[in-house]
Amino acid sequence: MKVAFLIFSYFHKNQPNMPVMMHTLLFANELKEKGDEVKIILEGEAVLWAKDLLSENHPLKSHFEKVKDDFVVCEACASMFNVKEEIKGKLKLENDLFGHVSLKKYLDGGYRIIEL
């Protein structure tokens, strides 16, 4: 099975929404450990997770490291939220749809899209 988690949110009550990212990482890791292909797509303000998760002292760092290579970050949004330079070369940036991630590409590739 191929699954792509699509994340748009970052803030909840003016704080990072840790439950959303924690569950995304748990679900993705579970699938990956069972042999499935996963992608975690960050769009909109969710690109702020990319910067956070790369921090050495982030509380979700150990979960993140297991699926780090499966992250896909919107290049246009990373630029807009001023994190592009900090994540460039560390996480995959995509810009197939007017600077954004193309969901069609993943759907055509057999991925099921789950939005969290």
Side-chain angles (χ1 to χ4, degrees):
M1 179 171 36
K2 294 171 141 184
V3 177
F5 295 95
L6 176 60
I7 314 297
F8 278 100
S9 66
Y10 176 78
F11 290 110
H12 177 70
K13 296 184 180 180
N14 297 319
Q15 299 181 58
N17 193 343
M18 294 290 280
V20 166
M21 186 49 68
M22 174 68 173
H23 285 90
T24 300
L25 295 172
L26 287 175
F27 298 151
N29 189 49
E30 176 189 24
L31 291 167
K32 190 172 180 173
E33 283 180 349
K34 304 259 194 246
D36 295 322
E37 290 184 41
V38 298
K39 295 292 178 193
I40 300 171
I41 301 170
L42 303 179
E43 274 280 357
E45 72 179 17
V47 299
L48 295 171
W49 283 115
K51 176 186 169 193
D52 284 5
L53 292 168
L54 287 166
S55 170
E56 286 302 317
N57 60 352
H58 196 278
L60 298 177
K61 184 72 171 177
S62 63
H63 297 287
F64 167 68
E65 287 298 323
K66 296 175 186 176
V67 291
K68 179 180 176 181
D69 293 337
D70 303 306
F71 270 75
V72 177
V73 181
C74 170
E75 188 169 350
C77 294
S79 292
M80 186 173 82
F81 284 92
N82 298 313
V83 297
K84 180 180 173 184
E85 293 307 314
E86 294 178 64
I87 63 173
K88 193 174 185 178
K90 298 174 186 167
L91 295 175
K92 184 177 182 180
L93 290 164
E94 286 191 6
N95 59 14
D96 297 328
L97 182 66
F98 302 102
H100 298 272
V101 176
S102 168
L103 289 184
K104 175 101 170 96
K105 175 174 104 175
Y106 288 96
L107 289 168
D108 288 349
Y111 283 86
R112 295 178 185 183
I113 308 291
I114 299 174
E115 184 181 352
L116 294 168

